[in-house]
Amino acid sequence: MNPKYLPLTATIVIFVLSYALCVAQYPNILSTRVIGNLLTDNAFLGIAAVGMTFVILSGGIDLSIGSVIAFTGVFLAVVLENTGIHPLVAFAMALLIATLFGAVMGAIIHYLEMPAFIVTLAGMFLARGMAFVLSIDSIAIKHPFYGTLKGLYYKLPGGGRITLIGGLMLLVFGIGILIAHRTRFGTDVYALGGGTATAKLMGVPVGRTTIMIYALSGLLAGLSGIVFSLYTSAGYSLAAVGVELDAITAVVIGGTLLTGGSGFVAGTFIGILIQGLIQTYITFDGSLSSWWTKILIGLLLFVFILMQKGIVYVSRSERRHA
Amino acid sequence: MQTAGDNLLSATRIDKVFPGAKALDKVDFHLRRGEVHALLGENGAGKSTLVKCLTGAYRRDGGTILLDGVEVDPRDTFNAQKLGIGTVYQEVNLLPNLTVAENLFLGRQPRRFGFVDVGTMNRQARELLENYELDLDVTRALDSYSVAIQQVVAIARAVDLSGKVLILDEPTASLDAHEVEMLFRIVRRLKARGLGIVFITHFLEQVYEISDRITVLRNGQLVGTRDTATLERRDLISMMIGRELAAEIHSARKEPDVTGPVRYRFKDYGRKGHISPFDLDVRAGEVVGIAGLLGSGRTETAEILFGAHRADSGTAELDGKAVQLSSPRRAIAQRFGFCPEDRKTAGIVGDLSVRENIVLALQARRGWTRPISRTEQNRLADHYIRALDIRTADREKPIRLLSGGNQQKAILARWLATEPEFLILDEPTRGIDVGAHAEIVRLIEGLREKGMSLMVISSEIEELVAYSTRIVVLRDRQHVASLEGERITADQIIEAIASSNERGAA
Ligand SMILES: Nc1ncnc2c1ncn2[C@@H]1O[C@H](COP(=O)(O)OP(=O)(O)OP(=O)(O)O)[C@@H](O)[C@H]1O
Ligand SMILES: [Mg+2]
């Protein structure tokens, strides 16, 4: 098999195995109801993780995601409470702000040659701070349009529901996969992960690509914020703390190399499913503390990083010699 | 003087200044249609810099560029590619993580309905590579192939991009004779189509074989442009180094007498899939030359001796005592040194200074708890910068800012600094200019006379003949012949490489 599919395959195998184990113990986990909930509950995380996948593939990192989600939520809540603006218009405004925010971070990273870690860390504090400026309190969103949106779903056989936000996540993953593997921009993202200097000599527009990557991540964080506000019907500046780390976890468990250049958006989807599955299992069990989720995910992450090291090592030493 | 009309690409008075170094000083360069133009000069002369100014990889500080008589100003390499200038850069081997097909078509992938048409791209990639006698799985990542294959892919990409001009910066450094032949066939074909080809190399034979004209740079200045046919080799060399070279390489072979005891004894040493088991004795004060085609197992022999790959059969003895050489660390502890072939990727720590790069291996052997004092580091660095003639503004310059050839010399210095007792050199003179070439050959002889044991892998048979006390010939991952004394001649070596039934002589 082409070695580049190894991490993805391993992720899928692990997912299928653990799913089978869960089903063996709680056959209900197989029901469309559980699956539908799993998608809905993880929708905001999944959408943000797609953006994170692009960033990590390019060799960067975006720590601002959680804060942008919180900011978007507060922004929507404040706008909807204090003005007569229609939610759809407010959504567009929020997406625009988040996209610009990402683009500016990308521009700083490229033009000032600053590490993405530092720039997006600053972005994280900035976005969180702006959320606080808008409001310190948790504001409920009672706009009737929210009720309409939440009422939209596609009924699966067996009583499960693909809600609007769950479906949106699937759509985002689909588009993400298309962008990553079927557009020149997607290949350019991988090219940056393979080495910026080389990519530049090969004619990749490094600056434009970098800006677009962080803009895309911002856009998806904004979208994730909208989904989160639909999910919770509230905006709160302390919400979604640490979501960026969950997103990174999903990306890495999904088989993407943290150093960039190798991985799949589809892998991130499996990564999200694995995290969701662990949570669901723990809910089903009832006796386990929710901290077990963190412990299991921590262990998985560790195993995956080891596995990636192993694969890199094996594929290096198997390189055909001249 | 020709008129501007003859010229496809005309660069006049190109200036490029780096902090602390004037890399190009009012250099003129004119490339005609349908010619192969060799760009020559010592390491650090400014060849790569000139190329990068032409392709927009660097912003030039002055001068004008005309393409087809029209002034152009490539802002970046993408722009240059669009103008029909395809380039193989010295330091790039494309992107290792992308597939072969993606590397070939990056930035110009065929599209349908706005999306990359992967099927068509892969098919076109396969068709393209057929011209190069390569049958690869183009959907695999590039780094699953050897350096030589990667180099051919890089060339294929550049050729495909070059509507008007093809620039090759030391493209042959990791190719074997057969691949070079293939490249030259393609270059001649492009030439017949009216392309202009710029060819940078340190192999003078190749210059005389393929080029029509030669431009020589020295210290960032133009020395002159000549017709290859009327330029004597001696004159060319003195144009390059600015003086007469005493003797290019002593082709007259001194007969060294090696009477030292056998220090290293490998019995049945081998590794499945890499190199078949071989026996090898190396004495103190001996240079074992390794000859063979690319892919014959030369590098594999070196790697297994150094522990980069663990042997799965046989034993190793040092001074009569069994030793384990299962990892480079252990080998280094036994005072082995190994200067690998793939120096572009396997040796340089780009952001560290020349000094730090030189002391790196020595420091690693001593362990990080016993740091080498700064004065000692400075002494070592200065010593090797002088001994190997490493062209750098000073020893604190980050090594990635050095020219390609000078980086290689620094890596060689790194291993010399560890004062190994058994030094393995894989293609030590590749990419190194004529002057330094002779320098390194002298160095190898000097080390041997001091009693060091050396193993040198080289594709240049004349060079092997000059310094080896014994030559091991490899074919198909086997040690097939060993030549000593009288039998060390270029003809004998070539015959041993070519003959297909001689086995395990000596
Ligand atoms: N980015 C840079 N910053 C500072 N100095 C540089 C940089 N790039 C090259 N130089 C310097 O410019 C000079 C010319 O380098 P260049 O790479 O053009 O040499 P070259 O002729 O290609 O040599 P080689 O045969 O070794 O490849 C060298 O002295 C080098 O140290
Ligand atoms: Mg060069």
Side-chain angles (χ1 to χ4, degrees), chain A residues 20-267:
Chain A
L21 277 179
C22 293
V23 171
Q25 205 172 348
Y26 304 107
N28 263 344
I29 287 188
L30 201 54
S31 75
T32 53
R33 223 180 267 270
V34 174
I35 293 172
N37 285 346
L38 199 150
L39 293 181
T40 306
D41 294 341
N42 290 287
F44 77 97
L45 179 61
I47 291 171
V50 172
M52 185 65 92
T53 312
F54 281 94
V55 173
I56 291 183
L57 279 176
S58 78
I61 194 92
D62 187 351
L63 298 178
S64 68
I65 286 179
S67 305
V68 172
I69 293 173
F71 170 80
T72 310
V74 177
F75 174 83
L76 290 175
V78 170
V79 167
L80 294 180
E81 192 178 59
N82 300 322
T83 69
I85 291 175
H86 189 271
L88 280 178
V89 180
F91 289 169
M93 288 162 63
L95 290 180
L96 189 70
I97 295 174
T99 309
L100 281 179
F101 185 74
V104 169
M105 288 196 300
I108 293 175
I109 291 168
H110 175 71
Y111 290 109
L112 303 186
E113 293 176 19
M114 299 211 344
F117 188 93
I118 303 294
V119 175
T120 59
L121 188 69
M124 172 175 114
F125 286 117
L126 189 68
R128 188 73 68 184
M130 290 197 313
F132 275 113
V133 170
L134 289 180
S135 166
I136 332 179
D137 307 313
S138 172
I139 311 171
I141 302 177
K142 301 182 206 78
H143 199 285
F145 187 64
Y146 263 55
T148 319
L149 289 183
K150 291 178 85 161
L152 293 176
Y153 57 84
Y154 172 78
K155 204 158 165 94
L156 293 169
R161 293 168 176 185
I162 302 275
T163 54
L164 176 71
I165 60 175
L168 193 60
M169 171 177 78
L170 293 178
L171 185 70
V172 167
F173 267 105
I175 294 174
I177 290 171
L178 210 58
I179 292 179
H181 304 296
R182 289 289 183 277
T183 64
R184 291 187 182 170
F185 167 73
T187 314
D188 288 349
V189 172
Y190 283 86
L192 288 194
T196 322
T198 309
K200 185 161 172 247
L201 281 182
M202 287 178 74
V204 173
V206 175
R208 200 182 72 198
T209 309
T210 308
I211 293 172
M212 279 172 67
I213 290 168
Y214 287 89
L216 177 66
S217 178
L219 170 72
L220 291 178
L223 187 62
S224 168
I226 295 173
V227 165
F228 193 68
S229 94
L230 278 169
Y231 182 61
T232 58
S233 293
Y236 183 34
S237 42
L238 273 179
V241 171
V243 166
E244 58 278 350
L245 301 181
D246 292 335
I248 294 172
T249 308
V251 173
V252 172
I253 291 183
T256 298
L257 274 186
L258 254 186
T259 45
S262 156
F264 297 92
V265 176

Side-chain angles (χ1 to χ4, degrees), chain B residues 328-339:
Chain B
R329 261 184 73 110
R330 295 220 166 147
I332 291 170
Q334 302 292 348
R335 306 196 75 112
F336 280 46
F338 175 37
C339 191

Side-chain angles (χ1 to χ4, degrees), chain B residues 47-48 90 169-170 403-404:
Chain B
K47 306 178 294 292
S48 300
Q90 185 176 9
D169 192 348
E170 298 197 26
S403 81

Side-chain angles (χ1 to χ4, degrees), chain A residues 182 184 190 200 202 261 321-322, chain B residues 77 97 109 116 157 295 300:
Chain A
R182 289 289 183 277
R184 291 187 182 170
Y190 283 86
K200 185 161 172 247
M202 287 178 74
H321 282 269
Chain B
T77 52
N97 61 321
Q109 296 97 325
V116 173
R157 173 184 162 89
E300 287 77 0

Side-chain angles (χ1 to χ4, degrees), chain A residues 1-5 57 178-179 181-184 187-188 190-196 198-205 260-262 313 315-322, chain B residues 57 77-78 81 89 91-92 94-99 102-103 106-109 111 114-116 118 139-141 143-146 148 150 157 274 294-295 300 303 309 477:
Chain A
M1 186 180 52
N2 198 330
K4 82 176 180 183
Y5 296 117
L57 279 176
L178 210 58
I179 292 179
H181 304 296
R182 289 289 183 277
T183 64
R184 291 187 182 170
T187 314
D188 288 349
Y190 283 86
L192 288 194
T196 322
T198 309
K200 185 161 172 247
L201 281 182
M202 287 178 74
V204 173
S262 156
Y313 178 80
S315 64
R316 281 251 172 85
S317 60
E318 277 191 355
R319 174 190 306 189
R320 275 166 248 168
H321 282 269
Chain B
T77 52
F78 187 65
Q81 286 171 15
Y89 295 95
E91 62 274 67
V92 192
L94 307 183
L95 289 158
N97 61 321
L98 296 190
T99 67
E102 284 168 339
N103 268 295
L106 186 64
R108 55 198 184 102
Q109 296 97 325
R111 287 188 288 196
F115 290 106
V116 173
V118 178
T139 63
R140 282 180 80 108
D143 73 351
S144 44
Y145 294 102
S146 70
Q150 294 185 20
R157 173 184 162 89
H274 287 242
L294 217 62
E300 287 77 0
E303 284 177 342
H309 291 294
R477 308 193 172 231

Side-chain angles (χ1 to χ4, degrees), chain B residues 23 114 263 265 277 286 320 350:
Chain B
R263 292 209 61 201
R265 173 163 281 162
E286 185 171 38

